[in-house]
Amino acid sequence: MKRLKGIGVSPGVAIGPAYLLLTGHLKITRRILKPEEVTREIRRFHRALEATIKDLEEVKRHIPEEMVHPLSIIDAHILMLKDPSLVRETEKLIKESLVNAEWALRKVLKKYQQIFKELGDFYLRERIRDLEHLIDKVIFTLQGQNNHVSLNQPAVIVAHDLSPADTARLRPDTTQAFVTEVGSRTSHTAIVAKSLGIPAVVAVKGVTEEVNPGDLLIVDGLAGEVIVNPTQEVIEEFLDRRLECQERRALLTRHAKEPAVTLDGHRIAVRANIELLDELPLALELGAEGVGLYRTEYLYVTRKALPSEEELFETYRQVVEGFKPEIVTFRTLDIGGDKFATKLDLPEEINPALGLRAIRLCLKSPALFKTQLRAILRASLYGRVRIMFPMISGLGELRRAKTFVQEVVEELQKEGLRFEALPAIGAMIEIPSAVAIADLLAQEVDFFSIGTNDLIQYALAIDRGNEHVAHLYEPLHPAVLRLIKQIVTAGHEAGIEVAMCGEMAGEVFYLPLLVGFGLDELSMNPQSIPAVKNLIRRLNFTECQKLVEEALKLSTPEEIRVLVLSWFEERDLTLFWDYF
Ligand code: PEP
Ligand code: MG
């Protein structure tokens, strides 16, 4: 039995066999063969080679004949893989050094790299990259053959990394949990796992090497622990804990649909963050009073072709109708950063979080933006809709985005397509420059929503997806608290509502502070709603305001943490920390 530590990002306990999903970043171990295994290993190598060539031929079939250049590149790649000296040298190494095919292939590649490097020719140096990529593909296929578990049966996925789109495609009925080597609490991969209710632990160093396919794993998504091949005693202990977790959740869920009003009568709207239409029933069941953040980009990143206006409209209509009479807040496309749509062909950026993402991309791509706005406006006829722009950094951007809405309104009117009166328009406040001018922005929107995931990333200069700096990502940093205070004050002085929709909004430990700041709405992962509503009902608004006053006098996150901790203890509310 081995215990591995990581960051728990999606709560729940799961037990199941490991399924090693090999995404990029291939690590190869050397295996020494017995002489009688050589023939089988060479056969394995040939099978992987043929499968890779077949894959490439399949890709070729989908490329139109007139696209001569891409076709010729793939032909060249197929020839590289069929190259007799590559095949011969790999076979020779397997035979003579008694090593596995993956190891032999990497050795052959190293030799080629050396030869190409010495040639010093730029064109040839680029070709070696192609070869590296191709050999990785073969190794990938070879390693894939090692999976004894199929994903058609329930399993725990173990991978170096999963993209947000990979995660959105996971099926909760077959994916019991997942474990990755990279990632952090506010990465989109973690956020999607929570929405799907799949327990997940990220930043588990070396897990793809420590775990073999088919190993039995216990994943504790709250404590951030992975136990490899647990003893019977440990298994029983975890089964008990899982039962306890389920019972507590059932208890909380019983009151989930009741409103969240503090002991002294202050009401806060508790809404859901959703990514896909499938999440609608669960969000309603868990007591969501509408949607505070609809991450509309997931309809783009989980598929190959861009959705049409009709398809968007149909999906949006169902969401809006499903939540009627409550509000649905459409966050316009936030593609870029760590979320990509294959069809959009975005440039590769060194610094994607600071690059062409969200509203910047939409303002640059009028057709993309307008198609979405048209669908949202048309869906507004079926319930209550708000529009919210992501990554607003200044007034110019906001005004241009609003102009697009106005243009779409006029277009729809001209075409005779019906829609509700102009919906409320809001700005996400998630860039420090927007906080600095929050008073100005507040004059031109109907509401604010604080995106703490990005706001903290940009204010503290901490990449939200990077496990190496995850420990520095600190919502209790005095700078973060001051920023929140400034946003709420600016919003309320202008008479508009201020919501929060970053992950911070759904963490019960921060809740007394968030209530004390006077936020009008908290929008979160649906799974967190029952516990958040429950705790709000035990809080006193005036006391929370005093807590904020005290917290703002302190100088470090540690001091603030101690203050909040003792606040919970004095009121006997610490049991809420185990909820989510
Ligand atoms: C945020 O940045 O806090 C937010 C809610 O948006 P996203 O996580 O999708 O960037
Ligand atoms: Mg954001």
Side-chain angles (χ1 to χ4, degrees), residues 364-383:
K364 234 184 135 231
S365 325
L368 180 79
F369 196 26
K370 278 190 168 178
T371 304
Q372 175 173 45
L373 290 172
R374 285 174 63 98
I376 298 174
L377 283 171
R378 288 175 56 198
S380 69
L381 204 57
Y382 298 84

Side-chain angles (χ1 to χ4, degrees), residues 186-188 191 273 275 293 295 297-298 331 334 338-339 357 388 390-391 428-430 449-456 458 464 473 500-504 523:
T186 52
S187 60
H188 282 104
I191 291 171
N273 292 353
E275 284 79 33
L293 167 65
R295 289 186 166 97
E297 56 278 6
Y298 278 86
R331 196 257 304 267
D334 187 356
D338 61 351
K339 289 173 291 195
R357 63 173 278 206
M388 165 164 101
M391 300 277 294
M428 285 198 70
I429 305 294
E430 51 183 346
S449 189
I450 309 178
T452 49
N453 305 337
D454 279 315
L455 183 60
I456 299 173
Y458 297 126
R464 65 190 263 193
Y473 191 94
M500 178 181 281
C501 63
E503 288 305 285
M504 187 178 182
S523 188

Side-chain angles (χ1 to χ4, degrees), residues 63-83:
I63 300 178
E65 263 173 46
E66 59 277 16
M67 297 180 77
V68 183
H69 188 58
L71 284 173
S72 64
I73 291 178
I74 296 179
D75 277 335
H77 285 178
I78 292 174
L79 277 178
M80 276 189 200
L81 285 179
K82 286 184 175 166
D83 177 45

